[in-house]
Amino acid sequence: MEKSDLACRKVWAGFVAVLLAACTGCAASGTQATAPVPAKAPKMTSATRMRLPIESYMFSDGQRDQVVEAKSKSIGLCMRRFGFVYDMPERSHSFRPESLTELRYGITSSSDAASYGYKPEGSDAAPGKPAPAKPEPKGYALALNGGSDRVDRLKGTELPEGGCVGEARRALRDTEKDGGGGDAEISNSINAASWQSSFQDARVRKVFQQWSQCMKLRGYEYADPMEANNDPRWKGGEPATATEKKVAVADTECKKRLNVVGTWYAVDMSYQEKMIADNREKLQPVKRKIDMQLRLAAKILGE
């Protein structure tokens, strides 16, 4: 993650896979799912503006950008001491959902579905070609990452442990492998586990059955919204076909008619609240670390 922007969020087609992968070992992390008190489902057509409890223990995209920018600035200042110009990585322009919840329960906008099918606007844009790598001057890599010697020296000056990258990490009080701006394992586990538990919850499966019947009346056979979202016919980099758009529109209309998003969000919330309560001691230092890193990043950036 050293050379890339940590702020990218995956498009929905890959989001479920990310959640399921992150949920592997959830039981070991203390995030086993136990049925919470039944949640009252609000009437909702979209979850984009809604927050989840676990977000208090995760970086927002903007906060993550701030930490990454501060780290890059810190590396650059350090490299300058050794006579090198550090080219800060360009901020990624990859697709980002507007919020953590925008696509968490599948697509919800009928107009977007009619235009883009299951591929959110901008998610299928071809990534820009990276700039050609410049030859690094002698000593650059050593200054950046340090070496294997107990005491590394460059131009007669002792290098910080781990080079300038190591110095930047310590400036942000972060020794994690991602170098700062990454979410804690416990936060990711809860985020993933609550989604999977809600997806399997009887209250959500009941509304899925109603959604499935609604779709069947329109000529489409799917057991749940994720099966429609992940239809192999929609995969690949091609623009949405007319069929994909029709299915996507039907999907959003059936969701709205049956309050699928409201039900799913409420159940997801209730699982998260229970998991957070069960893991309060593990989460408290996570929140303190986020606040500390943001203060340090603001100081480095002169904000």
Side-chain angles (χ1 to χ4, degrees):
M1 302 289 274
E2 299 297 348
K3 296 182 179 180
S4 63
D5 182 354
L6 295 173
C8 300
R9 295 276 173 94
K10 301 296 183 182
V11 296
W12 175 249
F15 184 51
V16 175
V18 171
L19 283 171
L20 297 181
C23 199
T24 301
C26 285
S29 300
T31 53
Q32 299 98 322
T34 54
V37 175
K40 183 177 180 180
K43 289 287 185 181
M44 292 171 56
T45 58
S46 169
T48 299
R49 304 296 181 189
M50 307 303 290
R51 279 181 56 85
L52 290 167
I54 197 61
E55 292 187 66
S56 295
Y57 306 94
M58 301 175 76
F59 286 97
S60 68
D61 281 341
Q63 290 171 337
R64 189 176 288 105
D65 286 344
Q66 185 180 22
V67 172
V68 171
E69 185 178 354
K71 181 187 169 203
S72 292
K73 181 177 179 179
S74 181
I75 292 173
L77 292 172
C78 173
M79 292 291 282
R80 190 184 302 171
R81 297 203 310 266
F82 296 97
F84 299 111
V85 175
Y86 175 70
D87 293 326
M88 296 186 185
E90 289 188 14
R91 182 171 295 182
S92 172
H93 298 291
S94 299
F95 170 78
R96 283 181 179 177
E98 186 177 331
S99 65
L100 186 65
T101 51
E102 180 186 6
L103 299 172
R104 188 176 177 91
Y105 313 110
I107 59 171
T108 56
S109 168
S110 296
S111 59
D112 285 352
S115 298
Y116 310 108
Y118 286 97
K119 303 175 181 70
E121 182 181 7
S123 65
D124 58 352
K129 292 184 178 180
K134 298 178 182 178
E136 294 177 350
K138 184 178 179 180
Y140 184 93
L142 181 62
L144 185 63
N145 296 305
S148 57
D149 293 340
R150 185 170 176 271
V151 177
D152 294 311
R153 300 185 71 83
L154 184 67
K155 300 180 180 179
T157 303
E158 185 175 331
L159 284 167
E161 181 182 354
C164 290
V165 169
E167 180 173 290
R169 285 182 173 180
R170 288 187 292 277
L172 288 163
R173 304 291 192 275
D174 200 320
T175 58
E176 300 297 331
K177 291 181 180 179
D178 62 25
D183 293 316
E185 182 180 352
I186 184 65
S187 303
N188 285 327
S189 293
I190 290 174
N191 186 40
S194 73
W195 184 93
Q196 180 156 333
S197 296
S198 65
F199 183 72
Q200 297 170 337
D201 188 274
R203 292 161 289 181
V204 175
R205 300 312 299 186
K206 181 178 179 180
V207 80
F208 282 173
Q209 290 175 357
Q210 296 170 346
W211 174 92
S212 182
Q213 286 299 313
C214 178
M215 292 291 283
K216 191 172 184 178
L217 291 173
R218 295 165 184 254
Y220 308 116
E221 295 273 356
Y222 296 104
D224 57 61
M226 289 303 96
E227 188 175 322
N229 183 91
N230 297 329
D231 191 318
R233 292 179 294 171
W234 320 146
K235 303 311 170 189
E238 298 299 319
T241 62
T243 299
E244 178 182 343
K245 293 175 183 179
K246 288 178 182 179
V247 173
V249 169
D251 178 354
T252 60
E253 290 178 348
C254 287
K255 279 193 180 102
K256 291 172 184 174
R257 178 180 172 187
L258 299 163
N259 196 33
V260 171
V261 176
T263 301
W264 197 350
Y265 171 77
V267 174
D268 192 8
M269 277 270 292
S270 62
Y271 275 105
Q272 274 202 10
E273 288 168 349
K274 176 68 166 58
M275 292 172 185
I276 289 171
D278 290 345
N279 290 275
R280 189 72 65 187
E281 290 186 5
K282 294 180 181 179
L283 287 166
Q284 285 176 347
V286 171
K287 184 67 168 65
R288 289 196 296 269
K289 182 176 179 180
I290 290 172
D291 292 342
M292 176 187 65
Q293 282 198 301
L294 291 174
R295 288 195 301 271
L296 292 169
K299 184 176 180 181
I300 290 169
L301 296 172
E303 296 177 357

